[in-house]
Amino acid sequence: MLEVTALEAGYGHSQVLFGVDLRVGAGEVVTLMGRNGMGKTTTVRAIMGLNPPRAGRVVFQGAAVAGLPPEAIARRGIGLVPEGRQVFPTLSVRENLVATAANRAGHAAPWTLETIYALFPRLRERAGQSARTLSGGEQQMLAIGRALMTNPHLLILDEATEGLAPAIRAEIWATLAALKQRGQAILVIDKNLTALGRLADRHYVLEKGRTVWSGSSGDLSRDAERVRDWIGV
Amino acid sequence: MRDRILLLLLLLAAIALPWLAEAAGSPATTGLATRMAIYAIAAASLNLVLGYGGLVSFGHAAYFGLGGYAVGILYAHWRSGEAFLGLIPGSISLPVTLGAAMLAGGVSAAILGALSLRTRGVQFIMITLAFAQMLFFLFVSLKAYGGDEGLSIRRRGEFPGLDLRDAAQLYWLCLGILVLWLGLLRRVAHSRFGQVLAGARQSERRMAALGVAVYPYRLVAFILSGMGAALAGALMVNALRFVSPDMMHWSKSGELMIMVILGGLGTALGPVLGAVALVGLEYGLSGLTEHWQFILGPILLLVVMFARGGLMSLVRRLLPA
């Protein structure tokens, strides 16, 4: 579904990515791990076209997307839950969900307000409230719901549980597990090894802008020591 | 519910205004209120791009003036009997001239907006200003339509069933158009279109990452806004029976912006409040002294500094939920 090969990207004069390789298959949950500053968010931004790649290939559903504007890439079916949540603060919860909603791939059973509210009952309670009044965890749920409402083939979550209370984190992990059950392909950027090991099929570790390790969840538990060193937890 | 009743009472008071003015022995108030209603249409239109869209257009006087000239030019050709460009016969029928004004405003906003909206921030402010100044100087040099002296219009437009020589009937017409226009803008602001427009104000990249290209949304808002400003300009020329390039002067763009900011950016009724306050202050203060702008300045400063969100936020504070 998504295939990234020898990706290089950066900001201005500083290069951040020197060769990132990763692959997400249909229905797979894949993680991207690494310490802060190793290029995880830059990788996501390069895939999305928010920060166009300087070299390498990004192929999504058989088509090269590197160099396309971000809205064109998103329209092909990538739903991004950005780092720091970034909901639209002055819009209500409901408006945040419907403003950018779409079913471009023509799914037979697309996400609707009802199914999103069933997934996150708190959002239903807060439907009319402006998004800026939500707690951090609720904003995260809203950001996930908003991305799902575009009915993406691939969902990308950048640091989805960063700074959230443990109970809320558990809720988010449970939601991601439920999404996986539905066959949703997900790329998760996070540091929580235990939760990720249970949830994901395969893992990639970034170090100084390069993919330095990849493997299945079984490989991860065997190689836990080394991976822990790389991601610094 | 209570807000609705308040609005209804306000509307009733606005409708009764010409009779009250007559009874109070100051019929000139009706003319003043007409100007307020007309500026409210222009300010509410600017608010769509400035308030909801976050696009600082410093050239909306151009569309205001174009709307005015649509009326003036059609009148001039109606009088002379020669068709405009040899094709379009003149007219003083208000439905025709208002339609022509909105068409002129919409088409020019489409062209200028398509170019301006490719820029951001300060560049956008400068380019909208530059386009407005170009139109200003174009009309100054158009001697056929009075150049910088402008055009006098001896007859107000004709509207079926109304006698617009009567100040009160002209006022009611402007008030009615204002109410309809506000209703339309409200629907637009609360539609999915309006939500995307507001979301794009908060973050264009965030919108892009969700698969929405904001340019067409902004362009449509800009066109709608230009049409509203032109509609207001056309009504103003009917009210004043005069059109001149001054309507397009950059200071007029500034006045429209002040009305929106003074009243409350991105609120449905803020621009109306702003228009009423600015026209009212101008009228009241200029009766006191010819240096009235010296007093107006500090008042605007106080509102901007102490009432973030403009007069609308003051009103909300005075009306406890």
Side-chain angles (χ1 to χ4, degrees), chain A residues 45 48 50 71 74-75 86-90 95 98-101 104 146, chain B residues 190 192 195-196 198-203 205-213:
Chain A
R45 293 177 60 86
M48 287 304 297
L50 289 164
E71 62 272 14
R75 280 168 170 274
Q86 305 193 358
V87 294
F88 297 110
T90 67
E95 288 171 344
V98 298
T100 54
R104 299 193 178 90
R146 184 181 63 181
Chain B
H190 286 264
R192 221 183 123 230
Q195 292 159 13
V196 170
R201 177 188 76 229
Q202 287 152 36
S203 172
R205 314 205 72 180
R206 216 170 287 173
M207 269 297 159
L210 287 157
V212 176

PDB file of all heavy atoms in Angstrom, chain A residues 45 48 50 71 74-75 86-90 95 98-101 104 146, chain B residues 190 192 195-196 198-203 205-213:
ATOM      1  N   ARG A  45       5.931  13.995   7.358  1.00  0.00           N
ATOM      2  CA  ARG A  45       5.698  15.212   6.576  1.00  0.00           C
ATOM      3  C   ARG A  45       6.137  15.033   5.123  1.00  0.00           C
ATOM      4  O   ARG A  45       5.511  15.562   4.201  1.00  0.00           O
ATOM      5  CB  ARG A  45       6.426  16.400   7.206  1.00  0.00           C
ATOM      6  CG  ARG A  45       5.857  16.787   8.571  1.00  0.00           C
ATOM      7  CD  ARG A  45       6.662  17.918   9.201  1.00  0.00           C
ATOM      8  NE  ARG A  45       6.654  19.103   8.359  1.00  0.00           N
ATOM      9  CZ  ARG A  45       5.718  20.029   8.392  1.00  0.00           C
ATOM     10  NH1 ARG A  45       4.720  19.931   9.240  1.00  0.00           N
ATOM     11  NH2 ARG A  45       5.771  21.071   7.594  1.00  0.00           N
ATOM     12  N   MET A  48       3.517  12.921   3.343  1.00  0.00           N
ATOM     13  CA  MET A  48       2.306  13.707   3.097  1.00  0.00           C
ATOM     14  C   MET A  48       2.512  14.857   2.108  1.00  0.00           C
ATOM     15  O   MET A  48       1.563  15.528   1.718  1.00  0.00           O
ATOM     16  CB  MET A  48       1.781  14.320   4.403  1.00  0.00           C
ATOM     17  CG  MET A  48       1.129  13.368   5.370  1.00  0.00           C
ATOM     18  SD  MET A  48      -0.244  12.438   4.662  1.00  0.00           S
ATOM     19  CE  MET A  48      -1.410  13.729   4.263  1.00  0.00           C
ATOM     20  N   LEU A  50       3.980  17.588   2.900  1.00  0.00           N
ATOM     21  CA  LEU A  50       4.046  18.852   3.641  1.00  0.00           C
ATOM     22  C   LEU A  50       5.473  19.380   3.600  1.00  0.00           C
ATOM     23  O   LEU A  50       5.725  20.554   3.801  1.00  0.00           O
ATOM     24  CB  LEU A  50       3.593  18.627   5.089  1.00  0.00           C
ATOM     25  CG  LEU A  50       2.100  18.358   5.254  1.00  0.00           C
ATOM     26  CD1 LEU A  50       1.798  17.777   6.628  1.00  0.00           C
ATOM     27  CD2 LEU A  50       1.312  19.644   5.037  1.00  0.00           C
ATOM     28  N   GLU A  71      -2.588  18.225  -0.448  1.00  0.00           N
ATOM     29  CA  GLU A  71      -4.011  17.900  -0.571  1.00  0.00           C
ATOM     30  C   GLU A  71      -4.229  16.776  -1.583  1.00  0.00           C
ATOM     31  O   GLU A  71      -5.114  15.946  -1.419  1.00  0.00           O
ATOM     32  CB  GLU A  71      -4.848  19.135  -0.912  1.00  0.00           C
ATOM     33  CG  GLU A  71      -4.542  19.819  -2.219  1.00  0.00           C
ATOM     34  CD  GLU A  71      -3.450  20.875  -2.088  1.00  0.00           C
ATOM     35  OE1 GLU A  71      -2.748  20.882  -1.052  1.00  0.00           O
ATOM     36  OE2 GLU A  71      -3.290  21.688  -3.018  1.00  0.00           O
ATOM     37  N   ALA A  74      -3.294  13.523   0.246  1.00  0.00           N
ATOM     38  CA  ALA A  74      -4.352  13.169   1.199  1.00  0.00           C
ATOM     39  C   ALA A  74      -5.570  12.613   0.461  1.00  0.00           C
ATOM     40  O   ALA A  74      -6.203  11.665   0.907  1.00  0.00           O
ATOM     41  CB  ALA A  74      -4.731  14.394   2.027  1.00  0.00           C
ATOM     42  N   ARG A  75      -5.877  13.208  -0.696  1.00  0.00           N
ATOM     43  CA  ARG A  75      -7.048  12.779  -1.459  1.00  0.00           C
ATOM     44  C   ARG A  75      -6.915  11.351  -1.984  1.00  0.00           C
ATOM     45  O   ARG A  75      -7.905  10.709  -2.281  1.00  0.00           O
ATOM     46  CB  ARG A  75      -7.245  13.704  -2.670  1.00  0.00           C
ATOM     47  CG  ARG A  75      -7.909  14.988  -2.295  1.00  0.00           C
ATOM     48  CD  ARG A  75      -7.819  15.989  -3.419  1.00  0.00           C
ATOM     49  NE  ARG A  75      -8.676  17.103  -3.095  1.00  0.00           N
ATOM     50  CZ  ARG A  75      -9.954  17.152  -3.372  1.00  0.00           C
ATOM     51  NH1 ARG A  75     -10.528  16.157  -4.010  1.00  0.00           N
ATOM     52  NH2 ARG A  75     -10.669  18.185  -3.007  1.00  0.00           N
ATOM     53  N   GLN A  86      -3.744  19.366  16.803  1.00  0.00           N
ATOM     54  CA  GLN A  86      -4.087  20.335  15.755  1.00  0.00           C
ATOM     55  C   GLN A  86      -5.513  20.220  15.232  1.00  0.00           C
ATOM     56  O   GLN A  86      -5.748  20.125  14.024  1.00  0.00           O
ATOM     57  CB  GLN A  86      -3.110  20.206  14.583  1.00  0.00           C
ATOM     58  CG  GLN A  86      -1.680  20.336  15.018  1.00  0.00           C
ATOM     59  CD  GLN A  86      -0.730  20.524  13.858  1.00  0.00           C
ATOM     60  OE1 GLN A  86      -1.119  20.532  12.704  1.00  0.00           O
ATOM     61  NE2 GLN A  86       0.527  20.705  14.165  1.00  0.00           N
ATOM     62  N   VAL A  87      -6.464  20.233  16.121  1.00  0.00           N
ATOM     63  CA  VAL A  87      -7.857  20.348  15.686  1.00  0.00           C
ATOM     64  C   VAL A  87      -8.095  21.810  15.293  1.00  0.00           C
ATOM     65  O   VAL A  87      -7.252  22.664  15.526  1.00  0.00           O
ATOM     66  CB  VAL A  87      -8.839  19.930  16.803  1.00  0.00           C
ATOM     67  CG1 VAL A  87      -8.682  18.457  17.096  1.00  0.00           C
ATOM     68  CG2 VAL A  87      -8.632  20.755  18.058  1.00  0.00           C
ATOM     69  N   PHE A  88      -9.257  22.101  14.672  1.00  0.00           N
ATOM     70  CA  PHE A  88      -9.587  23.487  14.346  1.00  0.00           C
ATOM     71  C   PHE A  88     -10.287  24.097  15.553  1.00  0.00           C
ATOM     72  O   PHE A  88     -11.451  23.772  15.820  1.00  0.00           O
ATOM     73  CB  PHE A  88     -10.470  23.554  13.102  1.00  0.00           C
ATOM     74  CG  PHE A  88      -9.798  23.026  11.874  1.00  0.00           C
ATOM     75  CD1 PHE A  88     -10.199  21.839  11.304  1.00  0.00           C
ATOM     76  CD2 PHE A  88      -8.739  23.712  11.297  1.00  0.00           C
ATOM     77  CE1 PHE A  88      -9.563  21.341  10.169  1.00  0.00           C
ATOM     78  CE2 PHE A  88      -8.097  23.228  10.171  1.00  0.00           C
ATOM     79  CZ  PHE A  88      -8.504  22.036   9.615  1.00  0.00           C
ATOM     80  N   PRO A  89      -9.599  24.964  16.310  1.00  0.00           N
ATOM     81  CA  PRO A  89     -10.082  25.356  17.636  1.00  0.00           C
ATOM     82  C   PRO A  89     -11.433  26.076  17.646  1.00  0.00           C
ATOM     83  O   PRO A  89     -12.218  25.882  18.563  1.00  0.00           O
ATOM     84  CB  PRO A  89      -8.969  26.260  18.177  1.00  0.00           C
ATOM     85  CG  PRO A  89      -8.159  26.659  16.999  1.00  0.00           C
ATOM     86  CD  PRO A  89      -8.292  25.564  16.005  1.00  0.00           C
ATOM     87  N   THR A  90     -11.724  26.890  16.623  1.00  0.00           N
ATOM     88  CA  THR A  90     -12.969  27.662  16.698  1.00  0.00           C
ATOM     89  C   THR A  90     -14.171  26.890  16.166  1.00  0.00           C
ATOM     90  O   THR A  90     -15.295  27.298  16.368  1.00  0.00           O
ATOM     91  CB  THR A  90     -12.875  28.999  15.924  1.00  0.00           C
ATOM     92  OG1 THR A  90     -12.767  28.704  14.534  1.00  0.00           O
ATOM     93  CG2 THR A  90     -11.684  29.811  16.369  1.00  0.00           C
ATOM     94  N   GLU A  95     -18.442  20.121  13.682  1.00  0.00           N
ATOM     95  CA  GLU A  95     -17.933  20.801  12.488  1.00  0.00           C
ATOM     96  C   GLU A  95     -16.543  20.303  12.106  1.00  0.00           C
ATOM     97  O   GLU A  95     -16.233  20.127  10.927  1.00  0.00           O
ATOM     98  CB  GLU A  95     -17.911  22.315  12.706  1.00  0.00           C
ATOM     99  CG  GLU A  95     -19.304  22.930  12.698  1.00  0.00           C
ATOM    100  CD  GLU A  95     -19.311  24.390  13.133  1.00  0.00           C
ATOM    101  OE1 GLU A  95     -18.311  24.857  13.729  1.00  0.00           O
ATOM    102  OE2 GLU A  95     -20.320  25.056  12.894  1.00  0.00           O
ATOM    103  N   VAL A  98     -17.154  17.052  10.216  1.00  0.00           N
ATOM    104  CA  VAL A  98     -17.814  17.044   8.901  1.00  0.00           C
ATOM    105  C   VAL A  98     -17.154  17.967   7.878  1.00  0.00           C
ATOM    106  O   VAL A  98     -17.303  17.751   6.676  1.00  0.00           O
ATOM    107  CB  VAL A  98     -19.328  17.394   8.994  1.00  0.00           C
ATOM    108  CG1 VAL A  98     -20.057  16.367   9.823  1.00  0.00           C
ATOM    109  CG2 VAL A  98     -19.542  18.785   9.519  1.00  0.00           C
ATOM    110  N   ALA A  99     -16.414  18.987   8.347  1.00  0.00           N
ATOM    111  CA  ALA A  99     -15.902  19.994   7.404  1.00  0.00           C
ATOM    112  C   ALA A  99     -15.062  19.355   6.303  1.00  0.00           C
ATOM    113  O   ALA A  99     -15.171  19.727   5.138  1.00  0.00           O
ATOM    114  CB  ALA A  99     -15.092  21.055   8.144  1.00  0.00           C
ATOM    115  N   THR A 100     -14.213  18.395   6.651  1.00  0.00           N
ATOM    116  CA  THR A 100     -13.315  17.833   5.645  1.00  0.00           C
ATOM    117  C   THR A 100     -13.684  16.390   5.289  1.00  0.00           C
ATOM    118  O   THR A 100     -12.925  15.696   4.628  1.00  0.00           O
ATOM    119  CB  THR A 100     -11.857  17.870   6.141  1.00  0.00           C
ATOM    120  OG1 THR A 100     -11.799  17.212   7.419  1.00  0.00           O
ATOM    121  CG2 THR A 100     -11.372  19.291   6.306  1.00  0.00           C
ATOM    122  N   ALA A 101     -14.872  15.953   5.749  1.00  0.00           N
ATOM    123  CA  ALA A 101     -15.272  14.563   5.523  1.00  0.00           C
ATOM    124  C   ALA A 101     -15.400  14.264   4.029  1.00  0.00           C
ATOM    125  O   ALA A 101     -15.761  15.142   3.242  1.00  0.00           O
ATOM    126  CB  ALA A 101     -16.598  14.281   6.221  1.00  0.00           C
ATOM    127  N   ARG A 104     -13.846   9.410  -0.898  1.00  0.00           N
ATOM    128  CA  ARG A 104     -13.363   9.496  -2.282  1.00  0.00           C
ATOM    129  C   ARG A 104     -13.191   8.125  -2.910  1.00  0.00           C
ATOM    130  O   ARG A 104     -13.309   7.971  -4.104  1.00  0.00           O
ATOM    131  CB  ARG A 104     -12.053  10.273  -2.326  1.00  0.00           C
ATOM    132  CG  ARG A 104     -12.238  11.694  -1.826  1.00  0.00           C
ATOM    133  CD  ARG A 104     -11.059  12.587  -2.136  1.00  0.00           C
ATOM    134  NE  ARG A 104     -11.360  13.923  -1.650  1.00  0.00           N
ATOM    135  CZ  ARG A 104     -11.071  14.349  -0.434  1.00  0.00           C
ATOM    136  NH1 ARG A 104     -10.442  13.542   0.410  1.00  0.00           N
ATOM    137  NH2 ARG A 104     -11.404  15.558  -0.049  1.00  0.00           N
ATOM    138  N   ARG A 146     -11.586  12.892  12.926  1.00  0.00           N
ATOM    139  CA  ARG A 146     -11.557  13.765  11.747  1.00  0.00           C
ATOM    140  C   ARG A 146     -10.821  13.080  10.592  1.00  0.00           C
ATOM    141  O   ARG A 146     -11.270  13.132   9.441  1.00  0.00           O
ATOM    142  CB  ARG A 146     -10.845  15.070  12.122  1.00  0.00           C
ATOM    143  CG  ARG A 146     -10.823  16.106  11.047  1.00  0.00           C
ATOM    144  CD  ARG A 146     -10.088  17.343  11.493  1.00  0.00           C
ATOM    145  NE  ARG A 146      -8.684  17.061  11.782  1.00  0.00           N
ATOM    146  CZ  ARG A 146      -7.812  17.968  12.210  1.00  0.00           C
ATOM    147  NH1 ARG A 146      -8.195  19.215  12.406  1.00  0.00           N
ATOM    148  NH2 ARG A 146      -6.558  17.646  12.451  1.00  0.00           N
TER     149      ARG A 146
ATOM    150  N   HIS B 190     -22.315  29.050   8.099  1.00  0.00           N
ATOM    151  CA  HIS B 190     -22.584  27.840   8.880  1.00  0.00           C
ATOM    152  C   HIS B 190     -22.607  26.576   8.028  1.00  0.00           C
ATOM    153  O   HIS B 190     -22.804  25.491   8.550  1.00  0.00           O
ATOM    154  CB  HIS B 190     -23.904  27.988   9.639  1.00  0.00           C
ATOM    155  CG  HIS B 190     -23.773  28.925  10.797  1.00  0.00           C
ATOM    156  ND1 HIS B 190     -23.535  28.481  12.082  1.00  0.00           N
ATOM    157  CD2 HIS B 190     -23.780  30.269  10.865  1.00  0.00           C
ATOM    158  CE1 HIS B 190     -23.433  29.523  12.884  1.00  0.00           C
ATOM    159  NE2 HIS B 190     -23.584  30.625  12.162  1.00  0.00           N
ATOM    160  N   ARG B 192     -20.880  23.759   5.314  1.00  0.00           N
ATOM    161  CA  ARG B 192     -19.590  23.085   5.284  1.00  0.00           C
ATOM    162  C   ARG B 192     -18.559  23.989   4.614  1.00  0.00           C
ATOM    163  O   ARG B 192     -17.396  24.033   5.008  1.00  0.00           O
ATOM    164  CB  ARG B 192     -19.726  21.773   4.509  1.00  0.00           C
ATOM    165  CG  ARG B 192     -18.975  20.666   5.165  1.00  0.00           C
ATOM    166  CD  ARG B 192     -19.048  19.391   4.349  1.00  0.00           C
ATOM    167  NE  ARG B 192     -17.698  18.989   4.067  1.00  0.00           N
ATOM    168  CZ  ARG B 192     -17.246  18.673   2.868  1.00  0.00           C
ATOM    169  NH1 ARG B 192     -18.037  18.701   1.845  1.00  0.00           N
ATOM    170  NH2 ARG B 192     -16.002  18.320   2.702  1.00  0.00           N
ATOM    171  N   GLN B 195     -17.258  26.293   7.162  1.00  0.00           N
ATOM    172  CA  GLN B 195     -16.381  25.611   8.120  1.00  0.00           C
ATOM    173  C   GLN B 195     -14.987  25.413   7.533  1.00  0.00           C
ATOM    174  O   GLN B 195     -13.981  25.596   8.223  1.00  0.00           O
ATOM    175  CB  GLN B 195     -16.981  24.253   8.493  1.00  0.00           C
ATOM    176  CG  GLN B 195     -18.265  24.377   9.302  1.00  0.00           C
ATOM    177  CD  GLN B 195     -19.108  23.120   9.221  1.00  0.00           C
ATOM    178  OE1 GLN B 195     -18.642  22.080   8.774  1.00  0.00           O
ATOM    179  NE2 GLN B 195     -20.341  23.216   9.655  1.00  0.00           N
ATOM    180  N   VAL B 196     -14.937  25.052   6.244  1.00  0.00           N
ATOM    181  CA  VAL B 196     -13.629  24.886   5.608  1.00  0.00           C
ATOM    182  C   VAL B 196     -12.912  26.236   5.551  1.00  0.00           C
ATOM    183  O   VAL B 196     -11.720  26.344   5.824  1.00  0.00           O
ATOM    184  CB  VAL B 196     -13.774  24.285   4.197  1.00  0.00           C
ATOM    185  CG1 VAL B 196     -12.454  24.329   3.447  1.00  0.00           C
ATOM    186  CG2 VAL B 196     -14.277  22.853   4.281  1.00  0.00           C
ATOM    187  N   ALA B 198     -13.228  28.753   7.595  1.00  0.00           N
ATOM    188  CA  ALA B 198     -12.737  29.089   8.932  1.00  0.00           C
ATOM    189  C   ALA B 198     -11.562  28.191   9.312  1.00  0.00           C
ATOM    190  O   ALA B 198     -10.588  28.649   9.916  1.00  0.00           O
ATOM    191  CB  ALA B 198     -13.865  28.958   9.953  1.00  0.00           C
ATOM    192  N   GLY B 199     -11.640  26.920   8.947  1.00  0.00           N
ATOM    193  CA  GLY B 199     -10.540  26.009   9.242  1.00  0.00           C
ATOM    194  C   GLY B 199      -9.269  26.438   8.519  1.00  0.00           C
ATOM    195  O   GLY B 199      -8.175  26.378   9.079  1.00  0.00           O
ATOM    196  N   ALA B 200      -9.420  26.895   7.291  1.00  0.00           N
ATOM    197  CA  ALA B 200      -8.266  27.331   6.509  1.00  0.00           C
ATOM    198  C   ALA B 200      -7.632  28.575   7.122  1.00  0.00           C
ATOM    199  O   ALA B 200      -6.426  28.779   7.017  1.00  0.00           O
ATOM    200  CB  ALA B 200      -8.683  27.612   5.070  1.00  0.00           C
ATOM    201  N   ARG B 201      -8.461  29.401   7.779  1.00  0.00           N
ATOM    202  CA  ARG B 201      -7.919  30.578   8.458  1.00  0.00           C
ATOM    203  C   ARG B 201      -6.994  30.117   9.584  1.00  0.00           C
ATOM    204  O   ARG B 201      -5.927  30.676   9.806  1.00  0.00           O
ATOM    205  CB  ARG B 201      -9.064  31.414   9.037  1.00  0.00           C
ATOM    206  CG  ARG B 201      -8.594  32.621   9.837  1.00  0.00           C
ATOM    207  CD  ARG B 201      -9.753  33.304  10.546  1.00  0.00           C
ATOM    208  NE  ARG B 201     -10.186  32.563  11.705  1.00  0.00           N
ATOM    209  CZ  ARG B 201     -11.447  32.257  11.980  1.00  0.00           C
ATOM    210  NH1 ARG B 201     -12.410  32.611  11.178  1.00  0.00           N
ATOM    211  NH2 ARG B 201     -11.752  31.588  13.070  1.00  0.00           N
ATOM    212  N   GLN B 202      -7.427  29.068  10.293  1.00  0.00           N
ATOM    213  CA  GLN B 202      -6.645  28.584  11.426  1.00  0.00           C
ATOM    214  C   GLN B 202      -5.389  27.856  10.966  1.00  0.00           C
ATOM    215  O   GLN B 202      -4.340  27.978  11.581  1.00  0.00           O
ATOM    216  CB  GLN B 202      -7.530  27.692  12.294  1.00  0.00           C
ATOM    217  CG  GLN B 202      -8.540  28.533  13.067  1.00  0.00           C
ATOM    218  CD  GLN B 202      -9.819  27.783  13.377  1.00  0.00           C
ATOM    219  OE1 GLN B 202      -9.795  26.599  13.633  1.00  0.00           O
ATOM    220  NE2 GLN B 202     -10.932  28.481  13.363  1.00  0.00           N
ATOM    221  N   SER B 203      -5.494  27.071   9.917  1.00  0.00           N
ATOM    222  CA  SER B 203      -4.302  26.447   9.359  1.00  0.00           C
ATOM    223  C   SER B 203      -4.574  25.902   7.972  1.00  0.00           C
ATOM    224  O   SER B 203      -5.353  24.980   7.792  1.00  0.00           O
ATOM    225  CB  SER B 203      -3.795  25.321  10.256  1.00  0.00           C
ATOM    226  OG  SER B 203      -2.760  24.636   9.579  1.00  0.00           O
ATOM    227  N   ARG B 205      -2.289  24.438   6.067  1.00  0.00           N
ATOM    228  CA  ARG B 205      -1.594  23.164   5.887  1.00  0.00           C
ATOM    229  C   ARG B 205      -2.393  22.022   6.492  1.00  0.00           C
ATOM    230  O   ARG B 205      -2.413  20.922   5.976  1.00  0.00           O
ATOM    231  CB  ARG B 205      -0.218  23.214   6.542  1.00  0.00           C
ATOM    232  CG  ARG B 205       0.539  24.481   6.225  1.00  0.00           C
ATOM    233  CD  ARG B 205       1.996  24.259   6.353  1.00  0.00           C
ATOM    234  NE  ARG B 205       2.443  23.421   5.237  1.00  0.00           N
ATOM    235  CZ  ARG B 205       3.699  23.053   5.068  1.00  0.00           C
ATOM    236  NH1 ARG B 205       4.606  23.415   5.925  1.00  0.00           N
ATOM    237  NH2 ARG B 205       4.034  22.318   4.029  1.00  0.00           N
ATOM    238  N   ARG B 206      -3.024  22.320   7.637  1.00  0.00           N
ATOM    239  CA  ARG B 206      -3.842  21.302   8.295  1.00  0.00           C
ATOM    240  C   ARG B 206      -4.969  20.875   7.358  1.00  0.00           C
ATOM    241  O   ARG B 206      -5.308  19.715   7.254  1.00  0.00           O
ATOM    242  CB  ARG B 206      -4.435  21.948   9.558  1.00  0.00           C
ATOM    243  CG  ARG B 206      -4.561  21.051  10.728  1.00  0.00           C
ATOM    244  CD  ARG B 206      -4.921  21.870  11.962  1.00  0.00           C
ATOM    245  NE  ARG B 206      -3.787  22.653  12.443  1.00  0.00           N
ATOM    246  CZ  ARG B 206      -3.894  23.543  13.428  1.00  0.00           C
ATOM    247  NH1 ARG B 206      -5.056  23.785  14.001  1.00  0.00           N
ATOM    248  NH2 ARG B 206      -2.833  24.197  13.822  1.00  0.00           N
ATOM    249  N   MET B 207      -5.561  21.878   6.687  1.00  0.00           N
ATOM    250  CA  MET B 207      -6.621  21.596   5.720  1.00  0.00           C
ATOM    251  C   MET B 207      -6.065  20.757   4.574  1.00  0.00           C
ATOM    252  O   MET B 207      -6.687  19.791   4.139  1.00  0.00           O
ATOM    253  CB  MET B 207      -7.168  22.906   5.147  1.00  0.00           C
ATOM    254  CG  MET B 207      -8.330  23.481   5.894  1.00  0.00           C
ATOM    255  SD  MET B 207      -9.737  22.373   5.827  1.00  0.00           S
ATOM    256  CE  MET B 207     -10.653  22.953   7.228  1.00  0.00           C
ATOM    257  N   ALA B 208      -4.877  21.140   4.092  1.00  0.00           N
ATOM    258  CA  ALA B 208      -4.267  20.423   2.976  1.00  0.00           C
ATOM    259  C   ALA B 208      -4.007  18.971   3.366  1.00  0.00           C
ATOM    260  O   ALA B 208      -4.278  18.059   2.589  1.00  0.00           O
ATOM    261  CB  ALA B 208      -2.966  21.110   2.560  1.00  0.00           C
ATOM    262  N   ALA B 209      -3.521  18.768   4.604  1.00  0.00           N
ATOM    263  CA  ALA B 209      -3.216  17.404   5.049  1.00  0.00           C
ATOM    264  C   ALA B 209      -4.487  16.566   5.162  1.00  0.00           C
ATOM    265  O   ALA B 209      -4.414  15.348   5.224  1.00  0.00           O
ATOM    266  CB  ALA B 209      -2.486  17.445   6.386  1.00  0.00           C
ATOM    267  N   LEU B 210      -5.648  17.209   5.198  1.00  0.00           N
ATOM    268  CA  LEU B 210      -6.912  16.476   5.243  1.00  0.00           C
ATOM    269  C   LEU B 210      -7.531  16.371   3.843  1.00  0.00           C
ATOM    270  O   LEU B 210      -8.680  15.969   3.695  1.00  0.00           O
ATOM    271  CB  LEU B 210      -7.881  17.158   6.199  1.00  0.00           C
ATOM    272  CG  LEU B 210      -7.501  16.968   7.676  1.00  0.00           C
ATOM    273  CD1 LEU B 210      -8.091  18.056   8.543  1.00  0.00           C
ATOM    274  CD2 LEU B 210      -7.946  15.598   8.157  1.00  0.00           C
ATOM    275  N   GLY B 211      -6.765  16.784   2.844  1.00  0.00           N
ATOM    276  CA  GLY B 211      -7.216  16.583   1.474  1.00  0.00           C
ATOM    277  C   GLY B 211      -8.032  17.725   0.894  1.00  0.00           C
ATOM    278  O   GLY B 211      -8.678  17.568  -0.127  1.00  0.00           O
ATOM    279  N   VAL B 212      -8.007  18.884   1.552  1.00  0.00           N
ATOM    280  CA  VAL B 212      -8.808  20.005   1.053  1.00  0.00           C
ATOM    281  C   VAL B 212      -7.878  21.100   0.527  1.00  0.00           C
ATOM    282  O   VAL B 212      -7.053  21.631   1.272  1.00  0.00           O
ATOM    283  CB  VAL B 212      -9.710  20.583   2.163  1.00  0.00           C
ATOM    284  CG1 VAL B 212     -10.449  21.804   1.652  1.00  0.00           C
ATOM    285  CG2 VAL B 212     -10.683  19.532   2.651  1.00  0.00           C
ATOM    286  N   ALA B 213      -8.004  21.418  -0.758  1.00  0.00           N
ATOM    287  CA  ALA B 213      -7.279  22.557  -1.322  1.00  0.00           C
ATOM    288  C   ALA B 213      -8.102  23.798  -1.019  1.00  0.00           C
ATOM    289  O   ALA B 213      -9.274  23.871  -1.385  1.00  0.00           O
ATOM    290  CB  ALA B 213      -7.095  22.374  -2.824  1.00  0.00           C
TER     291      ALA B 213
END
